[in-house]
Amino acid sequence: MIKALRGMKDTLEPQNQKYLYFIEKCTQIVNRYGFEFISTPILEDTALFKRSVGESSDIVSKEMYQFIDKGDNDICLRPEGTAGVVRSFVENKLDRVGGIHKFYYHGPMFRYERPQKGRFRQFHQFGVESFGVSSYLEDVLIIKMAKDILDTFGINYTILINYLGCDVCMPPFKEKLVTFLDTQEDLCEDCQKRKRTNPIRVFDCKNSNCQELLKPAPRLNQNFCENCKSDFSEILKLLDKADISYQVDSNLVRGLDYYSKTAFEFVSSDLGAQNAVAGGGRYDKLVEYLGGRKTPSIGFAIGIERILEMIELPKKKRDGYYFGALCDEAVDAVFKEANKKRVASSVTMGYSVKNLKAHLKAADRQNARYCAIIGEDELLNKEIWIKDLSEKSEMKESFE
Ligand SMILES: [Zn+2]
Ligand SMILES: [Zn+2]
């Protein structure tokens, strides 16, 4: 027997109903904010992720689902959604058109990590990317939109927010930080590496010894330039005014190298241990990194699998028709009438001839509202006998 690949899984009902319900609700919400659907390929040039996500990130250094194809191309199954959307934005010259472009996407992402409980090599994300707005009002709007989505599904969360500085204040801060890190010989191996590649990512280290050693480290929020200081405080004020509660978390640097300025995460304890369910931030430099014109950009992504575990489907109402025949002679008529009804309703049909009780049972199993039956008498009178399974009433409908 051929099995699914390690770390990959099929999804069946009721999981898929939940998935579609989630996407439908998210789409409704982001449409209200003016976002349009974008679809980019699942496979991309490996260089795209190396350049955008960054070589220092765990994703690129440890988790890429990467291989050489038959044409000797170094390619990769996308580990996240932003890089592909930005590549598409630049390749389709939208950076040259100018103006504001807002996209949402959803679909499978891939990471080649050791499969463990609840984590798969193929997983799904819903995300948004907004291009062309530099105002911090957009940052607040994006956070509000993520909040709208999680609120719709009744998920409990805390919003963690941080500000990662800009080209003016970040480089001198990094120097200051590296000087401090050089005095800390007991940092873990990963942190030693980060010191050279992207030092602020040491704050992201999960190692408790590192966390302890970093306590006296210089903090970015004490080293902001005037612009960053005022923008960050305006953002927090706007969140306060919008009644959006948050916690400033100076350790929040996000796993990806391309973030600058606003970074945020929604963490939830609804499934036990506190976990990020959504995260995002500003990446004003990424479009330029990928060969486009400088374009301010911000976005977020939501991990779908985790959210689906937290949401419950609204109870489905009975809907549509189930058609059944009581005798062989009625099968043709049932087939024809079922097809007619399908123009306006969802319709299923029992192919084998059964007695009424068996058909009613089948209609109930299908969660159909109406059980429509044709037998010898109905065939003679050119009528369909219909039982409304919600109202428990019966009626007749004539046919040609
Ligand atoms: Zn700054
Ligand atoms: Zn460390």
Side-chain angles (χ1 to χ4, degrees):
M1 188 177 65
I2 298 170
K3 291 185 171 173
L5 296 175
R6 195 165 135 84
M8 305 278 184
K9 71 163 182 177
D10 307 310
T11 56
L12 305 163
E13 299 298 2
Q15 188 75 356
N16 288 339
Q17 281 299 324
K18 271 192 181 180
Y19 186 95
L20 295 173
Y21 172 69
F22 175 77
I23 297 296
E24 187 191 318
K25 288 282 175 197
C26 287
T27 303
Q28 276 170 9
I29 291 168
V30 301
N31 281 344
R32 277 187 235 142
Y33 285 80
F35 283 70
E36 292 172 354
F37 185 59
I38 187 169
S39 172
T40 63
I42 284 168
L43 281 166
E44 298 270 8
D45 194 318
T46 299
L48 172 67
F49 302 110
K50 285 197 171 163
R51 208 183 298 172
S52 61
V53 181
E55 309 229 20
S56 79
S57 67
D58 283 354
I59 294 180
V60 170
S61 62
K62 298 177 192 161
E63 300 165 359
M64 294 253 273
Y65 210 121
Q66 179 186 358
F67 52 95
I68 305 294
D69 73 3
K70 287 181 182 170
D72 260 345
N73 304 298
D74 186 350
I75 59 174
C76 194
L77 285 158
R78 62 181 184 195
E80 54 91 53
T82 301
V85 174
V86 175
R87 190 229 5 99
S88 168
F89 178 78
V90 174
E91 193 171 339
N92 290 291
K93 301 189 171 61
L94 298 177
D95 55 328
R96 285 155 195 275
V97 176
I100 296 165
H101 302 269
K102 300 190 181 204
F103 300 107
Y104 72 93
Y105 63 83
H106 53 83
M109 308 289 159
F110 304 83
R111 296 201 189 158
Y112 201 84
E113 50 187 341
R114 244 165 75 94
Q116 42 182 304
K117 195 176 172 289
R119 289 184 76 162
F120 292 88
R121 287 179 172 169
Q122 176 175 330
F123 56 97
H124 296 77
Q125 286 186 346
F126 179 94
V128 302
E129 316 291 352
S130 159
F131 297 97
V133 191
S134 60
S135 166
Y136 56 74
L137 287 168
E138 186 74 356
D139 304 31
V140 176
L141 192 93
I142 289 280
I143 293 172
K144 170 82 166 64
M145 191 163 73
K147 175 181 156 50
D148 283 358
I149 289 175
L150 297 186
D151 286 348
T152 297
F153 299 107
I155 291 162
N156 297 302
Y157 54 80
T158 305
I159 301 174
L160 304 179
I161 185 165
N162 194 17
Y163 204 75
L164 303 180
C166 68
D167 286 342
V168 175
C169 53
M170 184 51 105
F173 170 72
K174 275 189 184 167
E175 265 177 50
K176 212 170 173 178
L177 179 61
V178 170
T179 309
F180 169 83
L181 295 176
D182 280 337
T183 64
Q184 303 299 319
E185 282 161 13
D186 295 333
L187 290 169
C188 75
E189 217 174 288
D190 282 340
C191 283
Q192 299 292 353
K193 248 186 253 162
R194 288 169 184 142
K195 202 167 76 180
R196 290 186 301 274
T197 51
N198 189 2
I200 66 160
R201 290 214 42 237
V202 296
F203 295 116
D204 206 21
C205 187
K206 302 285 174 277
N207 185 315
S208 56
N209 186 44
C210 289
Q211 288 296 342
E212 197 58 38
L213 292 171
L214 288 169
K215 274 186 180 159
R219 292 288 160 163
L220 182 57
N221 53 18
Q222 280 134 27
N223 290 274
F224 284 149
C225 66
E226 286 310 312
N227 277 340
C228 286
K229 210 186 278 177
S230 105
D231 281 6
F232 190 36
S233 85
E234 286 304 319
I235 289 171
L236 299 184
K237 265 188 226 161
L238 279 168
L239 290 172
D240 289 335
K241 273 188 207 156
D243 255 339
I244 300 174
S245 48
Y246 56 84
Q247 279 172 24
V248 174
D249 178 357
S250 63
N251 280 342
L252 178 71
V253 293
R254 310 273 302 141
L256 313 183
D257 287 357
Y258 54 66
Y259 286 100
S260 59
K261 299 183 178 172
T262 308
F264 62 88
E265 256 178 21
F266 286 65
V267 294
S268 176
S269 324
D270 280 2
L271 290 177
Q274 195 176 66
N275 264 318
V277 288
R282 217 168 237 292
Y283 51 93
D284 288 348
K285 284 179 288 190
L286 185 57
V287 173
E288 209 177 5
Y289 271 175
L290 294 178
R293 285 189 186 165
K294 199 167 179 194
T295 308
S297 323
I298 180 168
F300 69 73
I302 297 179
I304 297 182
E305 274 78 3
R306 211 169 272 162
I307 296 274
L308 295 191
E309 283 184 58
M310 299 182 199
I311 65 178
E312 276 186 41
L313 277 176
K315 203 169 155 31
K316 250 179 117 184
K317 277 197 210 140
R318 289 189 175 280
D319 180 48
Y321 287 80
Y322 167 91
F323 269 78
L326 296 180
C327 58
D328 287 331
E329 295 73 26
V331 171
D332 280 356
V334 160
F335 193 72
K336 202 172 150 195
E337 295 311 309
N339 282 335
K340 276 195 215 159
K341 267 286 185 260
R342 196 171 285 114
V343 174
S345 299
S346 73
V347 176
T348 56
M349 182 186 157
Y351 287 114
S352 49
V353 171
K354 288 182 207 152
N355 64 30
L356 181 59
K357 205 175 150 196
H359 279 311
L360 283 168
K361 218 171 170 181
D364 182 52
R365 262 204 307 272
Q366 304 270 359
N367 207 30
R369 166 105 191 240
Y370 302 103
C371 179
I373 298 295
I374 301 179
E376 271 174 49
D377 292 350
E378 287 77 18
L379 210 53
L380 215 62
N381 299 325
K382 297 227 170 256
E383 276 175 348
I384 311 170
W385 178 88
I386 299 172
K387 175 152 187 177
D388 182 333
L389 298 173
S390 294
E391 303 285 325
K392 314 279 179 217
S393 58
E394 292 170 22
M395 63 197 118
K396 295 216 159 158
E397 221 176 85
S398 50
F399 64 87
E400 286 303 302

